[in-house]
Amino acid sequence: MSAGWADVDAYIADRLIGGDTALDEALARNAGEGLPPIDVSVAQGKLLHILARSIDAWRILEVGTLGGYSTIWLARALPGHGALVTLEIDPHHAEVARANLDAAGVGDKVEIRVGPAVETLSRMEAEGEGPFDLVFIDADKPNNVAYLKAALALARPGGLIVVDNVVREGRVTDASSADEAILGARALFDAVAAEPRLSATAIQTVGAKGWDGFLIAVVDGK
């Protein structure tokens, strides 16, 4: 990671976002509880918040809670009647996330469902749950395509699907890679490219989290 990238991220946060005690405390709690430091950056969290607000999202689905840092950003974008469902496989992570969400004052808007997300999403589809205005996918990369298919089934027409960590420090272009995360990213691109109901792009990002990127897709139809 370039020191310059991190410096620019710090500049952006200082000038455009400012300090936030609840978010800082969430990251501190995550670290204290042994969670991996793989949350989105401050600037990326604010981007998710702005995307949710820009489409007037009132129902959000998140795949991959970790300690709830991105969940707080998304929940804060919801109107008073809004709701967010977030999926987490690790019970300890979910417990830490619940503490962070409650401390941030958004716990009443968020339901954490614990278990393998593929199974949870399958139940949600079978029960006709949805539609969601925005789906944010930031979980295990080998299941990217399964998460995409579920997101497409659960999102409304005109809704957004956002997937994190799709560039993998540029290694997404390596067709010979045997890395499961890279294979998952490449499979995601192929699945989106083949899906006529999605209009998509991907944006490379550099900053405190290194070189990576988001895939952003609009659901054009069902």
Side-chain angles (χ1 to χ4, degrees), residues 1-16 41 43 206-210:
M1 177 178 61
S2 166
W5 296 349
D7 291 341
V8 172
D9 255 12
Y11 178 85
I12 291 169
D14 179 62
R15 295 299 188 277
L16 301 180
S41 70
V206 296
K209 297 297 179 178

Side-chain angles (χ1 to χ4, degrees), residues 59-62 83-87 111 113 124 129 132:
R59 293 200 76 199
I60 296 174
L61 172 63
E62 179 182 52
L84 188 155
V85 176
T86 184
L87 314 182
E111 178 186 357
R113 301 185 186 178
M124 293 172 70
E129 193 165 345
F132 291 92

Side-chain angles (χ1 to χ4, degrees), residues 104-121:
V106 295
D108 61 329
K109 293 184 177 182
V110 179
E111 178 186 357
I112 303 174
R113 301 185 186 178
V114 181
V118 169
E119 297 176 10
T120 305
L121 290 166

Side-chain angles (χ1 to χ4, degrees), residues 8-191:
V8 172
D9 255 12
Y11 178 85
I12 291 169
D14 179 62
R15 295 299 188 277
L16 301 180
I17 303 172
D20 191 301
T21 300
L23 289 168
D24 292 344
E25 290 180 349
L27 292 178
R29 182 178 286 111
N30 290 353
E33 293 288 343
L35 274 62
I38 54 174
D39 314 86
V40 298
S41 70
V42 175
Q44 291 167 346
K46 185 64 177 289
L47 172 63
L48 293 172
H49 176 88
I50 289 172
L51 288 173
R53 288 183 58 187
S54 72
I55 61 167
D56 296 321
W58 70 276
R59 293 200 76 199
I60 296 174
L61 172 63
E62 179 182 52
V63 183
T65 315
L66 193 60
Y69 182 79
S70 57
T71 321
I72 294 170
W73 278 111
L74 289 166
R76 285 178 171 178
L78 291 167
H81 62 291
L84 188 155
V85 176
T86 184
L87 314 182
E88 174 56 47
I89 192 171
D90 189 303
H92 177 59
H93 293 180
E95 181 181 356
V96 175
R98 172 51 62 194
N100 286 331
L101 293 164
D102 290 344
V106 295
D108 61 329
K109 293 184 177 182
V110 179
E111 178 186 357
I112 303 174
R113 301 185 186 178
V114 181
V118 169
E119 297 176 10
T120 305
L121 290 166
S122 179
R123 288 195 297 272
M124 293 172 70
E125 289 184 62
E127 294 169 5
E129 193 165 345
F132 291 92
D133 303 294
L134 186 150
V135 182
F136 177 49
I137 300 170
D138 189 11
D140 57 303
K141 310 314 171 188
N143 277 317
N144 269 344
V145 172
Y147 298 148
L148 174 73
K149 290 179 179 178
L152 187 55
L154 293 167
R156 66 166 172 83
L160 286 182
I161 299 172
V162 182
V163 188
D164 196 12
N165 306 128
V166 301
V167 173
R168 317 299 306 180
E169 296 184 331
R171 291 179 293 160
V172 70
T173 63
D174 183 2
S176 65
S177 177
D179 185 303
E180 290 188 353
I182 294 170
L183 292 172
R186 290 178 61 85
L188 173 72
F189 274 90
D190 290 343

